[in-house]
Amino acid sequence: MALAGLPLVLLVGALGRIPGSEGGKETPAHFLVQWMSECRFLNGTQRVRYLERHFYDRHEILCFDSDLGKFVAITELGKADADKLNRDKQWLQYQKAEVDSLCRHNYEVNSYKAPKREERAIGRRSEFWG
């Protein structure tokens, strides 16, 4: 019965030693992976630029720029990902379409005009209240 928990203890022990914590040569124990999308508007929706930025450990490694129409490696770490993503023509078309489906759509939805202020007659009761 005591040996029933042995595989679990070995697994936890193996996971407890994270490679890279001894010298920084492999993946560190704690790191950050993040994707960020940006829409940049110039002159309303006449000129729109969509950027998708990829970060690893607080450093930008890769970026999609709708003006260029492709992924660009910022660092050597992002070069392999940029090459792989640029070979996928369907994914590139999807990214290029984000200018219309994300940026221009949200610009129209979130831009609003304030309603005109109603002129109120002071000292009069409205017909609704009698």
Side-chain angles (χ1 to χ4, degrees), residues 1-10:
M1 195 67 162
L3 295 177
L6 184 62
L8 180 60
V9 171
L10 292 175

Side-chain angles (χ1 to χ4, degrees), residues 54-56 59-63 72-75 77-79 81:
H54 296 217
F55 295 87
Y56 175 79
H59 298 285
E60 185 175 6
I61 61 169
L62 179 67
C63 178
V72 178
I74 308 296
T75 64
L77 186 59
K79 189 165 178 55
D81 288 337

Side-chain angles (χ1 to χ4, degrees), residues 100-119:
D100 291 323
S101 63
L102 179 74
C103 298
R104 286 193 175 105
H105 170 75
N106 286 336
Y107 184 87
E108 293 170 3
V109 168
N110 293 327
S111 64
Y112 62 92
K113 294 181 181 177
K116 288 186 176 182
R117 292 184 77 175
E118 295 178 14
E119 296 291 328

Side-chain angles (χ1 to χ4, degrees), residues 38-51:
E38 296 179 26
C39 294
R40 295 187 179 177
F41 299 93
L42 181 64
N43 194 15
T45 57
Q46 296 296 319
R47 175 126 160 64
V48 181
R49 184 178 181 191
Y50 171 73
L51 298 172

Side-chain angles (χ1 to χ4, degrees), residues 24-88:
K25 296 177 183 166
E26 295 179 21
T27 303
H30 301 284
F31 60 93
L32 172 73
V33 176
Q34 184 178 26
W35 290 268
M36 187 180 305
S37 297
E38 296 179 26
C39 294
R40 295 187 179 177
F41 299 93
L42 181 64
N43 194 15
T45 57
Q46 296 296 319
R47 175 126 160 64
V48 181
R49 184 178 181 191
Y50 171 73
L51 298 172
E52 181 179 292
R53 302 166 64 196
H54 296 217
F55 295 87
Y56 175 79
D57 203 20
R58 293 181 285 170
H59 298 285
E60 185 175 6
I61 61 169
L62 179 67
C63 178
F64 175 81
D65 189 347
S66 65
D67 285 352
L68 298 175
K70 64 179 183 175
F71 286 89
V72 178
I74 308 296
T75 64
E76 284 297 317
L77 186 59
K79 189 165 178 55
D81 288 337
D83 293 340
K84 178 184 173 190
L85 291 169
N86 285 331
R87 284 192 300 267
D88 189 352

Side-chain angles (χ1 to χ4, degrees), residues 86-104:
N86 285 331
R87 284 192 300 267
D88 189 352
K89 300 301 179 190
Q90 187 174 7
W91 184 248
L92 283 177
Q93 288 298 324
Y94 174 78
Q95 291 295 104
K96 291 174 187 176
E98 291 289 351
V99 171
D100 291 323
S101 63
L102 179 74
C103 298
R104 286 193 175 105

